[in-house]
Amino acid sequence: MAEKTLETLFHETLKDIYYAERKIVKALPKMARGAQSPELKAAFEKHRDETEGQIERLQQVFELIGKRPQGKTCAAIEGILEEGEEILEEFKGQPALDAGLVAAAQAVEHYEIARYGTLKRWAQVLGMKDAVKLLDATLKEESMTDDSLSALADQVANQKALKAA
């Protein structure tokens, strides 16, 4: 059995987030269609475009480590996206739908932030300067998306859900 090193863990985690991003890019249009407010629809559409760029960056990181881009089933993102589907079904047409969708989207963002933060740190430890730059760019985008979702929740979604109570 080959020794499992930090490089092995880095590659396995890279496959995990690659799978996750590819699932997310497919889920975002459905979230956009389900959103009630135009601001949330636009946020989901914008993040879909960003996610495509993030997938491209991940492909570059795979190239840097001499591996082909490949995903590995990520049970965590499967579960998080399933929760988003449940919110779409259970709250369809309800005042709290957008608040639920924001919460589901932030669960995705927080997962991504955790993964990219870890990958960036490991890339630093492994001396992968180019990978650090690529992963940091995505980490910053994910953090900005999380911040904008919080603002949307405060300004639109939570208020709409509250007024109906």
Side-chain angles (χ1 to χ4, degrees):
M1 179 186 217
E3 186 175 65
K4 294 189 177 192
T5 65
L6 188 58
E7 285 181 358
T8 311
L9 195 53
F10 180 85
H11 182 228
E12 290 300 310
T13 306
L14 197 61
K15 291 193 294 188
D16 174 277
I17 196 66
Y18 186 68
Y19 175 91
E21 292 289 18
R22 292 172 52 130
K23 292 294 277 194
I24 293 163
V25 83
K26 291 177 184 171
L28 282 165
K30 187 170 188 177
M31 301 287 274
R33 284 191 303 274
Q36 294 173 328
S37 79
E39 297 92 344
L40 187 55
K41 285 181 190 289
F44 286 144
E45 290 165 358
K46 177 183 180 211
H47 194 57
R48 183 186 181 280
D49 294 342
E50 285 178 350
T51 302
E52 288 175 347
Q54 293 165 357
I55 290 169
E56 289 173 15
R57 278 191 218 113
L58 286 171
Q59 291 168 343
Q60 291 174 42
V61 175
F62 276 107
E63 193 175 301
L64 288 170
I65 64 170
K67 307 280 185 184
R68 74 176 180 83
Q70 175 185 359
K72 176 178 86 170
T73 302
C74 173
I77 207 66
E78 293 283 353
I80 293 169
L81 291 175
E82 187 178 311
E83 286 179 5
E85 291 278 339
E86 288 173 11
I87 288 168
L88 274 170
E89 291 172 21
E90 292 175 20
F91 287 83
K92 185 175 184 177
Q94 298 298 312
L97 173 63
D98 282 357
L101 290 177
V102 168
Q106 285 191 293
V108 170
E109 293 309 309
H110 295 172
Y111 178 77
E112 292 174 304
I113 289 166
R115 281 291 186 232
Y116 283 111
T118 297
L119 283 166
K120 177 186 167 188
R121 176 65 63 203
W122 289 342
Q124 288 169 328
V125 170
L126 292 165
M128 302 175 176
K129 291 179 181 161
D130 292 336
V132 169
K133 290 177 190 167
L134 292 165
L135 295 165
D136 186 57
T138 297
L139 182 57
K140 286 177 180 168
E141 278 181 358
E142 299 295 9
S143 294
M144 288 186 333
T145 297
D146 184 49
D147 290 344
S148 68
L149 285 168
S150 290
L152 263 174
D154 290 343
Q155 296 163 8
V156 180
N158 293 346
Q159 296 303 314
K160 182 177 180 186
L162 187 62
K163 286 180 185 173

